[in-house]
């Protein structure tokens, strides 16, 4: 499958996917694992995946950070605890959810999305790369063609 983010819609599309999504520490400890996720496709963004909280294998703790998306609503952020083997530290504000999403995104209420890194993020067995920059949280895989928003000079797209 070839995905060109330049052809993705605006406003974004929310769609259930059966892709196997695995988020895990480099040491191998699983943070989340699902085939019951959603993706959000938005113009010039790689897919951003949302995982049901029941498929998150660690105890997330809310942080004080909050942001607002014009399409999805207010996001709540979490601390991901350190892996049990002590190979990494706990990480703040690299996972988020929408506790009260807008009506068009009600299906991802309380689903969790993870930035790609400092852990590894796999989509159908392929290790994803992070969307450029540190603001957006999409996952870039080999099926993505064309430019994606997030790098220097792309904020106005």
């Amino acid at each position: 499958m070839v995905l060109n983010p330049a052809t993705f819609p605006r406003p974004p599309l929310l769609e259930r996917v059966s892709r196997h999504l695995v988020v895990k520490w480099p040491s191998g400890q699983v943070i989340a694992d699902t085939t019951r996720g959603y993706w959000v496709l938005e113009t010039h963004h790689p897919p951003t995946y949302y995982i049901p909280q029941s498929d998150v294998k660690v105890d997330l703790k809310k942080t004080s950070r909050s942001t607002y998306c014009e399409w999805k609503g207010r996001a709540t952020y979490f601390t991901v605890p350190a892996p049990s083997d002590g190979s990494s530290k706990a990480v703040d504000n690299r996972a988020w959810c929408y506790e009260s999403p807008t009506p068009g995104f009600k299906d991802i209420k309380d689903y969790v999305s993870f930035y790609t890194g400092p852990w590894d993020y796999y989509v159908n067995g392929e290790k994803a790369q992070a969307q450029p920059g540190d603001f957006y949280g999409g996952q870039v895989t080999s099926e993505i063609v064309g430019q994606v928003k997030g790098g220097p000079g792309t904020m106005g797209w």
Side-chain angles (χ1 to χ4, degrees), residues 1 3 17-21 34-35 39 49 123-124 143:
M1 174 184 283
L3 298 171
V17 294
S18 60
R19 291 169 172 235
H20 189 196
L21 308 173
T34 195
T35 56
W39 68 7
Y49 295 96
V123 178
N124 282 342
E143 63 196 348

Side-chain angles (χ1 to χ4, degrees), residues 32-33 49 56 102 110 114:
D33 186 339
Y49 295 96
V56 175
T102 60
D110 296 325
F114 294 86

Side-chain angles (χ1 to χ4, degrees), residues 55-75:
D55 291 339
V56 175
K57 311 301 184 191
V58 298
D59 187 21
L60 301 174
K61 301 287 187 205
K62 287 184 185 179
T63 70
S64 61
R65 183 171 188 214
S66 177
T67 58
Y68 184 78
C69 169
E70 65 183 309
W71 309 112
K72 297 179 283 296
R74 183 145 315 275

Side-chain angles (χ1 to χ4, degrees), residues 54-142:
S54 59
D55 291 339
V56 175
K57 311 301 184 191
V58 298
D59 187 21
L60 301 174
K61 301 287 187 205
K62 287 184 185 179
T63 70
S64 61
R65 183 171 188 214
S66 177
T67 58
Y68 184 78
C69 169
E70 65 183 309
W71 309 112
K72 297 179 283 296
R74 183 145 315 275
T76 300
Y77 288 79
F78 299 99
T79 296
V80 176
S84 57
D85 66 3
S87 60
S88 297
K89 295 182 179 183
V91 177
D92 294 334
N93 302 320
R94 302 285 294 169
W96 72 94
C97 79
Y98 295 93
E99 296 174 308
S100 298
T102 60
F105 290 86
K106 65 181 174 23
D107 290 342
I108 58 168
K109 179 184 183 333
D110 296 325
Y111 275 54
V112 180
S113 191
F114 294 86
Y115 282 90
T116 304
W119 36 73
D120 297 329
Y121 201 120
Y122 293 88
V123 178
N124 282 342
E126 179 184 348
K127 186 175 178 182
Q129 301 302 310
Q131 182 170 1
D134 199 38
F135 183 75
Y136 302 109
Q139 284 71 43
V140 179
T141 58
S142 61

Side-chain angles (χ1 to χ4, degrees), residues 34-49:
T34 195
T35 56
R36 303 178 307 128
Y38 282 86
W39 68 7
V40 172
L41 303 179
E42 182 176 356
T43 308
H44 292 294
H45 293 268
T48 301
Y49 295 96

Side-chain angles (χ1 to χ4, degrees), residues 2-21:
V2 173
L3 298 171
N4 183 345
T7 66
F8 292 174
R10 188 164 175 89
L13 171 71
L14 174 67
E15 200 169 56
R16 182 175 286 281
V17 294
S18 60
R19 291 169 172 235
H20 189 196
L21 308 173

